[in-house]
Amino acid sequence: MRLVQILIPTGKRDAVLGVLAEEGIDYVLTDETSGREFTAVVTFPVPTNALEPVLEELRNVGINDDGYTVVVDANTVISSQFDELEEKYAEEEDEDRIAREELTSKANDLAPSMSNYALMTIISAIIATAGLLLDSPAVVVGSMVIAPLIGPAMTANVGTVVDDHEMFIQGVKLQAVGLGLAVASATVFALLVRYANVIPPLADVTTVGQIRERVAPDFLSLIVALGAGAAGVVSLTSGVSTALVGVMIAVALIPPAATVGIGIAWGQPLVSLGSAVLLLVNVLSINLAVLVGLWYQGYRPEHWFQESNARSATVKRIGVLVLSILVLSAFLGGVTFDSYQQATTESDIRDAIQGSVDSPARVLTVEIEYTNTAIFQQPRRVIVTVGLPPDAEQPLLVDQLDALADDAAGRDVATEVRYVTVERNG
């Protein structure tokens, strides 16, 4: 629930009190004695979901931005009339939905000053880079906690639906600056780590599990980003804490940005390419989910004549976001198909080799090595370990297994067969 205080302009007292009486709202009226163009201060409690329609009615009778309208949280209101008011609006409005005025205020509060935003983003990116290079999930998660990236995404899209161009520009600018700083700081830190020998020599960064996860994104990455954006809308419009959702949004942005920097520092363009696509898809998907969610929940500009502009801007920006995501999704689709094809090829190679070796020999393991590329890897060598009884003669299996591996892989792969002696129990 909310406690509202409004300065009533001279000549508007009866109209304001008439609106409150019609809505069944209890109020306290205090005369304004400062000698300005206001006659009184009215204070009244309202349910959270009643705030926006009540303020709309008050604007219609002359309450505008020339005076003060102060809205604060109220913990408890003890009144039978207030209970009736809650029941009335529970039937008409979403109980958790905050007013447009609160939405814009909260979105502005989420956008920090440029200096603090830049500093926290740089620190977060450096910690994420260290966590990726150390292959430490705990450190990577820690970097996300301090990343201030939820604010700009919310600010830009709230600015769109309420037709506040300045808010939109601020949000877009902060997002661009933040991601640029994250990549740049990750690159500088990764270069320092590499050439100062802070960690053991690392010829191929894709051998590190935490980095490899961000190099070949698939369609599930898109779902994660859309989910993070949708959760951001719910937390913002319901008035609950956005801290945990901010971590989720940082999950989709900070590690990929750090991976781009690591790829640049190690001179591996495919690493940077894959993670850059993931970063762009994530930031676009988050913005799309936020924008669609805000418009779906019915947030519109304060004045009706602005609604057409807001609708046009929203539709255009949704179109741009969807088109951009579809273009980048071609890469995600390629990676997803390649992952499926790779898994299928592995299974075919193993099945073909397992079924081709006759007793007393038996296949113990089939190891498949891939080309040294960050994405779209191809099998290049198959290592088969064959177990034999102590007194058995080694069969000549190399040519046979090589032909089977080549056929299953659809390309020429090297095949190596290793024989080990296996003692049979009993």
Side-chain angles (χ1 to χ4, degrees), residues 284-332:
L284 293 172
S285 300
I286 289 169
N287 279 273
L288 176 63
V290 174
L291 184 54
V292 171
L294 288 171
W295 190 261
Y296 175 77
Q297 292 198 29
Y299 288 102
R300 300 293 186 270
E302 178 179 345
H303 302 292
W304 64 267
F305 54 82
Q306 293 178 292
E307 189 168 328
S308 177
N309 291 335
R311 181 184 297 106
S312 175
T314 300
V315 170
K316 289 178 181 177
R317 288 165 191 171
I318 288 176
V320 170
L321 290 170
V322 169
L323 180 61
S324 301
I325 291 171
L326 288 176
V327 170
L328 293 172
S329 292
F331 180 84
L332 299 184

Short mmCIF file of all heavy atoms in Angstrom, two decimals, residues 284-332:
data_model
loop_
_atom_site.label_atom_id
_atom_site.label_comp_id
_atom_site.label_asym_id
_atom_site.label_seq_id
_atom_site.Cartn_x
_atom_site.Cartn_y
_atom_site.Cartn_z
N LEU A 284 20.28 -8.14 -26.60
CA LEU A 284 19.09 -7.87 -27.41
C LEU A 284 17.88 -8.61 -26.86
O LEU A 284 16.77 -8.06 -26.80
CB LEU A 284 19.34 -8.27 -28.86
CG LEU A 284 20.38 -7.44 -29.63
CD1 LEU A 284 20.65 -8.08 -30.98
CD2 LEU A 284 19.93 -6.00 -29.81
N SER A 285 18.07 -9.86 -26.44
CA SER A 285 16.95 -10.66 -25.93
C SER A 285 16.43 -10.10 -24.62
O SER A 285 15.22 -10.09 -24.37
CB SER A 285 17.40 -12.11 -25.76
OG SER A 285 17.81 -12.67 -26.99
N ILE A 286 17.33 -9.66 -23.75
CA ILE A 286 16.92 -9.06 -22.48
C ILE A 286 16.07 -7.82 -22.75
O ILE A 286 15.00 -7.64 -22.16
CB ILE A 286 18.15 -8.71 -21.62
CG1 ILE A 286 18.80 -10.00 -21.09
CG2 ILE A 286 17.77 -7.79 -20.47
CD1 ILE A 286 20.15 -9.78 -20.46
N ASN A 287 16.53 -6.96 -23.65
CA ASN A 287 15.77 -5.75 -23.97
C ASN A 287 14.43 -6.08 -24.60
O ASN A 287 13.42 -5.43 -24.31
CB ASN A 287 16.59 -4.85 -24.90
CG ASN A 287 17.62 -4.02 -24.18
OD1 ASN A 287 17.34 -2.92 -23.70
ND2 ASN A 287 18.83 -4.55 -24.05
N LEU A 288 14.39 -7.09 -25.45
CA LEU A 288 13.13 -7.48 -26.08
C LEU A 288 12.13 -7.97 -25.03
O LEU A 288 10.96 -7.56 -25.04
CB LEU A 288 13.38 -8.58 -27.11
CG LEU A 288 12.14 -9.17 -27.78
CD1 LEU A 288 11.40 -8.11 -28.58
CD2 LEU A 288 12.51 -10.35 -28.68
N ALA A 289 12.59 -8.83 -24.12
CA ALA A 289 11.69 -9.35 -23.10
C ALA A 289 11.17 -8.24 -22.19
O ALA A 289 9.98 -8.22 -21.83
CB ALA A 289 12.42 -10.41 -22.27
N VAL A 290 12.04 -7.31 -21.83
CA VAL A 290 11.62 -6.20 -20.97
C VAL A 290 10.61 -5.31 -21.68
O VAL A 290 9.57 -4.94 -21.12
CB VAL A 290 12.85 -5.37 -20.53
CG1 VAL A 290 12.40 -4.12 -19.76
CG2 VAL A 290 13.77 -6.21 -19.65
N LEU A 291 10.89 -4.98 -22.93
CA LEU A 291 10.01 -4.07 -23.68
C LEU A 291 8.63 -4.69 -23.90
O LEU A 291 7.59 -4.06 -23.66
CB LEU A 291 10.66 -3.73 -25.03
CG LEU A 291 9.93 -2.73 -25.92
CD1 LEU A 291 9.64 -1.44 -25.17
CD2 LEU A 291 10.75 -2.46 -27.17
N VAL A 292 8.61 -5.94 -24.34
CA VAL A 292 7.32 -6.62 -24.56
C VAL A 292 6.55 -6.77 -23.24
O VAL A 292 5.34 -6.56 -23.18
CB VAL A 292 7.55 -8.00 -25.21
CG1 VAL A 292 6.25 -8.80 -25.25
CG2 VAL A 292 8.10 -7.83 -26.62
N GLY A 293 7.27 -7.11 -22.18
CA GLY A 293 6.62 -7.28 -20.88
C GLY A 293 6.00 -6.00 -20.36
O GLY A 293 4.87 -6.00 -19.85
N LEU A 294 6.70 -4.89 -20.49
CA LEU A 294 6.17 -3.60 -20.02
C LEU A 294 4.94 -3.19 -20.82
O LEU A 294 3.95 -2.72 -20.25
CB LEU A 294 7.26 -2.53 -20.12
CG LEU A 294 8.41 -2.62 -19.12
CD1 LEU A 294 9.52 -1.63 -19.49
CD2 LEU A 294 7.93 -2.35 -17.69
N TRP A 295 5.00 -3.35 -22.14
CA TRP A 295 3.85 -2.96 -22.97
C TRP A 295 2.66 -3.87 -22.71
O TRP A 295 1.52 -3.43 -22.63
CB TRP A 295 4.24 -3.00 -24.45
CG TRP A 295 3.19 -2.39 -25.33
CD1 TRP A 295 2.23 -3.02 -26.05
CD2 TRP A 295 3.00 -0.98 -25.56
NE1 TRP A 295 1.45 -2.10 -26.72
CE2 TRP A 295 1.90 -0.84 -26.44
CE3 TRP A 295 3.65 0.17 -25.11
CZ2 TRP A 295 1.44 0.39 -26.89
CZ3 TRP A 295 3.19 1.40 -25.56
CH2 TRP A 295 2.10 1.50 -26.42
N TYR A 296 2.92 -5.16 -22.53
CA TYR A 296 1.85 -6.12 -22.26
C TYR A 296 1.14 -5.80 -20.95
O TYR A 296 -0.07 -5.97 -20.83
CB TYR A 296 2.42 -7.54 -22.23
CG TYR A 296 1.41 -8.59 -21.83
CD1 TYR A 296 0.46 -9.05 -22.74
CD2 TYR A 296 1.41 -9.13 -20.54
CE1 TYR A 296 -0.47 -10.01 -22.37
CE2 TYR A 296 0.48 -10.08 -20.17
CZ TYR A 296 -0.46 -10.52 -21.08
OH TYR A 296 -1.38 -11.46 -20.71
N GLN A 297 1.90 -5.31 -19.96
CA GLN A 297 1.30 -4.99 -18.66
C GLN A 297 0.55 -3.66 -18.67
O GLN A 297 0.00 -3.26 -17.65
CB GLN A 297 2.38 -4.99 -17.58
CG GLN A 297 2.94 -6.38 -17.30
CD GLN A 297 3.65 -6.45 -15.96
OE1 GLN A 297 3.32 -5.72 -15.02
NE2 GLN A 297 4.64 -7.32 -15.85
N GLY A 298 0.54 -3.00 -19.78
CA GLY A 298 -0.33 -1.84 -19.93
C GLY A 298 0.28 -0.49 -19.56
O GLY A 298 -0.45 0.48 -19.39
N TYR A 299 1.60 -0.41 -19.48
CA TYR A 299 2.21 0.89 -19.16
C TYR A 299 2.22 1.78 -20.40
O TYR A 299 2.65 1.37 -21.48
CB TYR A 299 3.63 0.69 -18.62
CG TYR A 299 3.64 0.12 -17.23
CD1 TYR A 299 3.90 -1.23 -17.01
CD2 TYR A 299 3.34 0.92 -16.13
CE1 TYR A 299 3.88 -1.76 -15.73
CE2 TYR A 299 3.32 0.39 -14.85
CZ TYR A 299 3.59 -0.94 -14.66
OH TYR A 299 3.56 -1.47 -13.39
N ARG A 300 1.74 3.00 -20.22
CA ARG A 300 1.60 3.94 -21.32
C ARG A 300 2.05 5.33 -20.84
O ARG A 300 2.21 5.57 -19.64
CB ARG A 300 0.14 4.02 -21.78
CG ARG A 300 -0.45 2.70 -22.28
CD ARG A 300 0.20 2.22 -23.55
NE ARG A 300 -0.47 1.02 -24.07
CZ ARG A 300 -0.13 -0.22 -23.75
NH1 ARG A 300 0.86 -0.44 -22.90
NH2 ARG A 300 -0.78 -1.24 -24.29
N PRO A 301 2.21 6.29 -21.76
CA PRO A 301 2.58 7.65 -21.35
C PRO A 301 1.52 8.30 -20.48
O PRO A 301 0.36 7.87 -20.44
CB PRO A 301 2.73 8.39 -22.69
CG PRO A 301 2.92 7.33 -23.71
CD PRO A 301 2.16 6.14 -23.22
N GLU A 302 1.90 9.37 -19.81
CA GLU A 302 0.97 10.07 -18.91
C GLU A 302 -0.18 10.71 -19.69
O GLU A 302 -1.32 10.67 -19.26
CB GLU A 302 1.74 11.14 -18.14
CG GLU A 302 0.87 11.97 -17.22
CD GLU A 302 1.67 13.02 -16.45
OE1 GLU A 302 2.91 12.91 -16.43
OE2 GLU A 302 1.04 13.94 -15.90
N HIS A 303 0.12 11.29 -20.86
CA HIS A 303 -0.91 12.00 -21.63
C HIS A 303 -1.33 11.14 -22.83
O HIS A 303 -0.49 10.52 -23.50
CB HIS A 303 -0.37 13.34 -22.11
CG HIS A 303 0.10 14.22 -20.98
ND1 HIS A 303 -0.76 14.77 -20.05
CD2 HIS A 303 1.35 14.62 -20.62
CE1 HIS A 303 -0.08 15.48 -19.17
NE2 HIS A 303 1.21 15.41 -19.49
N TRP A 304 -2.62 11.16 -23.12
CA TRP A 304 -3.15 10.29 -24.18
C TRP A 304 -2.56 10.62 -25.54
O TRP A 304 -2.38 9.73 -26.38
CB TRP A 304 -4.68 10.43 -24.24
CG TRP A 304 -5.15 11.81 -24.61
CD1 TRP A 304 -5.48 12.83 -23.78
CD2 TRP A 304 -5.35 12.31 -25.94
NE1 TRP A 304 -5.87 13.94 -24.48
CE2 TRP A 304 -5.80 13.64 -25.82
CE3 TRP A 304 -5.20 11.77 -27.22
CZ2 TRP A 304 -6.08 14.44 -26.93
CZ3 TRP A 304 -5.49 12.55 -28.32
CH2 TRP A 304 -5.93 13.88 -28.16
N PHE A 305 -2.22 11.90 -25.78
CA PHE A 305 -1.71 12.26 -27.10
C PHE A 305 -0.28 11.75 -27.32
O PHE A 305 0.24 11.80 -28.44
CB PHE A 305 -1.77 13.78 -27.33
CG PHE A 305 -1.11 14.60 -26.25
CD1 PHE A 305 0.26 14.80 -26.25
CD2 PHE A 305 -1.87 15.17 -25.23
CE1 PHE A 305 0.86 15.56 -25.26
CE2 PHE A 305 -1.27 15.93 -24.24
CZ PHE A 305 0.11 16.12 -24.25
N GLN A 306 0.39 11.28 -26.25
CA GLN A 306 1.72 10.70 -26.40
C GLN A 306 1.65 9.21 -26.70
O GLN A 306 2.65 8.61 -27.08
CB GLN A 306 2.53 10.89 -25.11
CG GLN A 306 2.90 12.34 -24.78
CD GLN A 306 3.64 12.41 -23.47
OE1 GLN A 306 3.08 12.16 -22.40
NE2 GLN A 306 4.92 12.74 -23.53
N GLU A 307 0.48 8.62 -26.52
CA GLU A 307 0.38 7.17 -26.63
C GLU A 307 0.67 6.68 -28.04
O GLU A 307 1.29 5.63 -28.23
CB GLU A 307 -1.01 6.70 -26.19
CG GLU A 307 -1.11 5.20 -26.09
CD GLU A 307 -2.37 4.75 -25.37
OE1 GLU A 307 -2.84 5.48 -24.47
OE2 GLU A 307 -2.89 3.68 -25.72
N SER A 308 0.26 7.45 -29.04
CA SER A 308 0.52 7.06 -30.43
C SER A 308 2.02 7.01 -30.70
O SER A 308 2.53 6.07 -31.33
CB SER A 308 -0.16 8.03 -31.39
OG SER A 308 0.14 7.70 -32.73
N ASN A 309 2.75 8.02 -30.22
CA ASN A 309 4.21 8.04 -30.40
C ASN A 309 4.86 6.86 -29.69
O ASN A 309 5.78 6.22 -30.22
CB ASN A 309 4.80 9.35 -29.86
CG ASN A 309 4.40 10.55 -30.70
OD1 ASN A 309 4.09 10.41 -31.88
ND2 ASN A 309 4.42 11.73 -30.10
N ALA A 310 4.39 6.60 -28.46
CA ALA A 310 4.96 5.49 -27.68
C ALA A 310 4.69 4.16 -28.36
O ALA A 310 5.57 3.29 -28.43
CB ALA A 310 4.38 5.49 -26.27
N ARG A 311 3.46 3.98 -28.89
CA ARG A 311 3.13 2.73 -29.56
C ARG A 311 3.99 2.54 -30.80
O ARG A 311 4.51 1.45 -31.06
CB ARG A 311 1.65 2.72 -29.95
CG ARG A 311 1.23 1.41 -30.63
CD ARG A 311 -0.22 1.43 -31.09
NE ARG A 311 -1.15 1.57 -29.98
CZ ARG A 311 -1.82 2.66 -29.68
NH1 ARG A 311 -1.66 3.75 -30.44
NH2 ARG A 311 -2.64 2.71 -28.66
N SER A 312 4.16 3.62 -31.57
CA SER A 312 4.97 3.54 -32.79
C SER A 312 6.42 3.20 -32.46
O SER A 312 7.03 2.33 -33.10
CB SER A 312 4.89 4.87 -33.55
OG SER A 312 5.75 4.87 -34.66
N ALA A 313 6.97 3.88 -31.44
CA ALA A 313 8.36 3.63 -31.06
C ALA A 313 8.53 2.20 -30.54
O ALA A 313 9.52 1.53 -30.85
CB ALA A 313 8.80 4.63 -29.99
N THR A 314 7.55 1.73 -29.76
CA THR A 314 7.62 0.38 -29.21
C THR A 314 7.61 -0.66 -30.32
O THR A 314 8.43 -1.59 -30.32
CB THR A 314 6.46 0.13 -28.23
OG1 THR A 314 6.53 1.07 -27.16
CG2 THR A 314 6.54 -1.27 -27.66
N VAL A 315 6.70 -0.51 -31.27
CA VAL A 315 6.59 -1.48 -32.36
C VAL A 315 7.88 -1.49 -33.20
O VAL A 315 8.40 -2.56 -33.56
CB VAL A 315 5.38 -1.16 -33.24
CG1 VAL A 315 5.38 -2.01 -34.52
CG2 VAL A 315 4.09 -1.39 -32.47
N LYS A 316 8.40 -0.30 -33.49
CA LYS A 316 9.64 -0.22 -34.29
C LYS A 316 10.81 -0.88 -33.56
O LYS A 316 11.60 -1.62 -34.16
CB LYS A 316 9.96 1.24 -34.60
CG LYS A 316 9.02 1.89 -35.61
CD LYS A 316 9.40 3.34 -35.84
CE LYS A 316 8.43 4.01 -36.82
NZ LYS A 316 8.74 5.46 -37.00
N ARG A 317 10.93 -0.60 -32.27
CA ARG A 317 12.07 -1.15 -31.53
C ARG A 317 11.93 -2.65 -31.32
O ARG A 317 12.92 -3.38 -31.34
CB ARG A 317 12.21 -0.40 -30.21
CG ARG A 317 12.74 1.02 -30.43
CD ARG A 317 12.57 1.94 -29.24
NE ARG A 317 12.85 3.33 -29.64
CZ ARG A 317 12.63 4.39 -28.90
NH1 ARG A 317 12.09 4.26 -27.69
NH2 ARG A 317 12.91 5.59 -29.35
N ILE A 318 10.70 -3.11 -31.12
CA ILE A 318 10.50 -4.56 -31.05
C ILE A 318 10.89 -5.21 -32.38
O ILE A 318 11.55 -6.26 -32.42
CB ILE A 318 9.04 -4.90 -30.69
CG1 ILE A 318 8.76 -4.56 -29.22
CG2 ILE A 318 8.74 -6.38 -30.95
CD1 ILE A 318 7.32 -4.77 -28.80
N GLY A 319 10.50 -4.58 -33.49
CA GLY A 319 10.86 -5.10 -34.80
C GLY A 319 12.36 -5.17 -35.02
O GLY A 319 12.88 -6.18 -35.53
N VAL A 320 13.06 -4.11 -34.64
CA VAL A 320 14.53 -4.09 -34.77
C VAL A 320 15.17 -5.16 -33.91
O VAL A 320 16.08 -5.88 -34.36
CB VAL A 320 15.07 -2.69 -34.40
CG1 VAL A 320 16.60 -2.73 -34.30
CG2 VAL A 320 14.64 -1.65 -35.42
N LEU A 321 14.69 -5.30 -32.68
CA LEU A 321 15.25 -6.31 -31.78
C LEU A 321 15.01 -7.72 -32.31
O LEU A 321 15.93 -8.56 -32.32
CB LEU A 321 14.65 -6.16 -30.38
CG LEU A 321 15.07 -4.91 -29.59
CD1 LEU A 321 14.21 -4.77 -28.33
CD2 LEU A 321 16.55 -4.97 -29.21
N VAL A 322 13.79 -7.99 -32.76
CA VAL A 322 13.46 -9.33 -33.27
C VAL A 322 14.30 -9.64 -34.51
O VAL A 322 14.86 -10.74 -34.64
CB VAL A 322 11.96 -9.44 -33.59
CG1 VAL A 322 11.67 -10.72 -34.36
CG2 VAL A 322 11.14 -9.40 -32.31
N LEU A 323 14.40 -8.68 -35.43
CA LEU A 323 15.17 -8.90 -36.66
C LEU A 323 16.64 -9.16 -36.33
O LEU A 323 17.27 -10.07 -36.89
CB LEU A 323 15.03 -7.69 -37.58
CG LEU A 323 15.79 -7.78 -38.92
CD1 LEU A 323 15.28 -8.96 -39.74
CD2 LEU A 323 15.64 -6.48 -39.71
N SER A 324 17.20 -8.37 -35.42
CA SER A 324 18.60 -8.55 -35.04
C SER A 324 18.83 -9.92 -34.40
O SER A 324 19.82 -10.59 -34.69
CB SER A 324 19.02 -7.44 -34.07
OG SER A 324 18.86 -6.17 -34.65
N ILE A 325 17.90 -10.31 -33.53
CA ILE A 325 18.03 -11.62 -32.87
C ILE A 325 17.93 -12.75 -33.90
O ILE A 325 18.69 -13.73 -33.83
CB ILE A 325 16.97 -11.77 -31.78
CG1 ILE A 325 17.26 -10.81 -30.62
CG2 ILE A 325 16.93 -13.21 -31.24
CD1 ILE A 325 16.14 -10.72 -29.60
N LEU A 326 17.03 -12.60 -34.87
CA LEU A 326 16.89 -13.64 -35.89
C LEU A 326 18.16 -13.78 -36.72
O LEU A 326 18.59 -14.90 -37.06
CB LEU A 326 15.70 -13.32 -36.81
CG LEU A 326 14.31 -13.50 -36.19
CD1 LEU A 326 13.23 -13.06 -37.17
CD2 LEU A 326 14.09 -14.96 -35.79
N VAL A 327 18.78 -12.64 -37.06
CA VAL A 327 20.02 -12.69 -37.83
C VAL A 327 21.12 -13.40 -37.04
O VAL A 327 21.81 -14.30 -37.54
CB VAL A 327 20.48 -11.27 -38.22
CG1 VAL A 327 21.88 -11.29 -38.81
CG2 VAL A 327 19.50 -10.65 -39.21
N LEU A 328 21.26 -13.01 -35.77
CA LEU A 328 22.29 -13.64 -34.94
C LEU A 328 21.94 -15.08 -34.60
O LEU A 328 22.84 -15.90 -34.37
CB LEU A 328 22.46 -12.84 -33.64
CG LEU A 328 23.05 -11.43 -33.81
CD1 LEU A 328 22.98 -10.67 -32.49
CD2 LEU A 328 24.49 -11.51 -34.29
N SER A 329 20.65 -15.39 -34.62
CA SER A 329 20.24 -16.77 -34.31
C SER A 329 20.67 -17.75 -35.38
O SER A 329 20.68 -18.96 -35.14
CB SER A 329 18.72 -16.83 -34.12
OG SER A 329 18.33 -16.15 -32.95
N ALA A 330 21.00 -17.24 -36.58
CA ALA A 330 21.54 -18.14 -37.60
C ALA A 330 22.83 -18.78 -37.10
O ALA A 330 23.09 -19.96 -37.33
CB ALA A 330 21.79 -17.37 -38.89
N PHE A 331 23.62 -17.99 -36.40
CA PHE A 331 24.86 -18.51 -35.80
C PHE A 331 24.52 -19.51 -34.69
O PHE A 331 25.10 -20.60 -34.61
CB PHE A 331 25.69 -17.36 -35.24
CG PHE A 331 26.99 -17.79 -34.61
CD1 PHE A 331 28.12 -17.99 -35.37
CD2 PHE A 331 27.06 -18.00 -33.24
CE1 PHE A 331 29.32 -18.39 -34.78
CE2 PHE A 331 28.25 -18.39 -32.63
CZ PHE A 331 29.38 -18.59 -33.41
N LEU A 332 23.56 -19.14 -33.83
CA LEU A 332 23.16 -20.05 -32.76
C LEU A 332 22.61 -21.35 -33.33
O LEU A 332 22.89 -22.44 -32.81
CB LEU A 332 22.09 -19.39 -31.88
CG LEU A 332 22.46 -18.10 -31.15
CD1 LEU A 332 21.30 -17.66 -30.27
CD2 LEU A 332 23.72 -18.27 -30.33
#
